[in-house]
Structure formats: structure tokens, C-alpha cells
Amino acid sequence: MARKTNPEFMTGVPELLVLRLLSDREMYGYELVQAIETSTGEAIKVGEGVVYPILHALEAQGCLASRRKAVEGRMRIYYSATAAGKKRLGALMTEWQRITDAVATVVRGSKHAKA
Amino acid sequence: MARKTNPEFMTGVPELLVLRLLSDREMYGYELVQAIETSTGEAIKVGEGVVYPILHALEAQGCLASRRKAVEGRMRIYYSATAAGKKRLGALMTEWQRITDAVATVVRGSKHAKA
DNA sequence: TTGCCATGCCTATAACTTCAAGGTATATGC
DNA sequence: GCATATACCTTGAAGTTATAGGCATGGCAA
């Protein structure tokens, strides 16, 4: 079961984090990669190959808005969460809570867990 | 993003639950499918097509032991967690904690999260 | 008897996501 | 000139879940 790709418990997490971070302030791709790493205390690290496809997909769905900005001769594309994006974030957090709560119940030894 | 396969936040969860449940008492595949559903309060449901491959893989790795038993004319294969299985369960729970803690930190608005 | 459903095992295909590695380009430091 | 950091992007591989089915037995009802 040694996963190299799709590691344990990571499905959907990058998208959740991106949406959450972009709800606070606008950021560009390269910045997000590092923000995810620092904000999680090095616990979670994702590559650019993970972030960029998510940004493009979310923007195509109208969950993100982007604007180009030249900084020090380099081109940056800043993304921020739209209303639809925040709505989607809420749905993702609800789902995240649902799963984590369920797992916690079982892990804590839910004796009969019937009634 | 409407996922039909590999839904949000489910990667690795079925394996964790199977290992956890089989650490308490031996169960057979069909029983596990229902046990996961009831023990999570209907929050998590997995089909047989998810459980059986996991059982076979874990057994092949020595994480599970099995014994055949005939009950009411039907053949059942009971699985239980071995020492290696419990060790793997421990590793999975540690990883689970690591990810969920990290996500919780970001979601709760991680101030600047620099130092 | 016949038919249907629940039990109980199993497999194959499709779909989705993450990961690693590479490609392009500019600014800076040696 | 050359290497590194920034900054964007794409491609291919790997792994997991979901859906749908196949096979077989027992119990129940018509």
C-alpha cells in the first residue's frame, strides 16, 4: 500500500485549503504553494502540479476570479474567491466535518454504536 | 468537480475503518460493509467492491489473518487484525491526526502562521 | 414447484486526484 | 557567462474509490 501518488487522506484537501486561503486574501499560484506549507506548519506540502490545475478548474467554475499584475518585471496572476467560491468552501467544510466526525466516532471505539 | 469516484476526503478512510473494526473483533466482508455504515451513523457507506479488495490486499501484506467458517450452510471468511495490522493501524491514525490537525489550523484562520 | 430476495463471495472498468518531472522565461548574484 | 530563485504551465504515471455486474446458497411466499 505504499502510495506515492494519492497519499493517505489527501483527496480534496488541496482544494479545500486553496479555497480557504483565497477567501482571506488574493494570492498567486507560486505563493499558494508556499502558503500551504507554512500555514500547516510543514505538515502538508503540495507541488505546483497540484495547485495550478486546481486554480484553473475552480476559475472555470466561477469559484475564483483572477487578475494579472506585473511585479518586478515578473507576471503574476492573483486569484481570489468569489461568492460561488465561498459557497463551495462552505460545502467542502461541511463534508470534511462529516467525514472526520464519523471517523473519530469509530476510532474512539464506538462499542455498539446502535442507538 | 462532481466526483462520482474517489469522492472528497475518502482516500484511505475505508482502509482505516476496516483495520480499526477488525482490531476489536473478527468480522467477515459482508458484515464489515454494514458495520461501517452503522458505526458511522450512516455518514459513511462503502460497497462490497471497496471492502473486498482492501481485505485481500491487507491479508497479502500480513496485516490480516483469515479463517473460513461455515455458518448455516453459507461460507464465511472471518478476518482479524494481526500484530502487523495493528501497527499499520497506528501509523494510519497518526497520519490521519496529522492531516486533520493541519487542516483544522488553516480553516480556523491561522493568523499569520509564520513563526 | 417456482420465483424472488437476502446473504456472501468476488472481479472489472471507469473516473478522479495527487505526485514527480520537465519545459519556458525573467531577474539577480557570482 | 552561469547558476539560482521566481513564476507560469503541462504531461505521464500511480493509486484509490465507485459502479456494475457475476456466481452461489438458503429461506420465504405464491
Side-chain angles (χ1 to χ4, degrees), chain A residues 37-100:
Chain A
E37 185 174 333
T38 61
S39 65
T40 60
E42 314 283 314
I44 297 179
K45 301 181 185 181
V46 298
E48 304 163 40
V50 172
V51 169
Y52 285 113
I54 290 177
L55 290 176
H56 300 156
L58 286 177
E59 185 181 21
Q61 295 168 48
C63 291
L64 295 180
S66 69
R67 68 191 184 92
R68 310 175 69 77
K69 195 177 178 184
V71 180
E72 295 175 10
R74 288 191 188 79
M75 181 57 67
R76 291 178 180 169
I77 304 177
Y78 283 86
Y79 293 88
S80 57
T82 63
K86 294 181 182 178
K87 183 177 173 184
R88 169 149 183 77
L89 171 61
L92 283 180
M93 297 207 319
T94 299
E95 180 68 3
W96 171 259
Q97 203 63 247
R98 208 172 61 84
I99 302 295
T100 52

Side-chain angles (χ1 to χ4, degrees), chain B residues 38-53:
Chain B
T38 62
S39 66
T40 60
E42 314 283 315
I44 298 179
K45 301 182 185 184
V46 297
E48 304 161 39
V50 172
V51 169
Y52 284 114

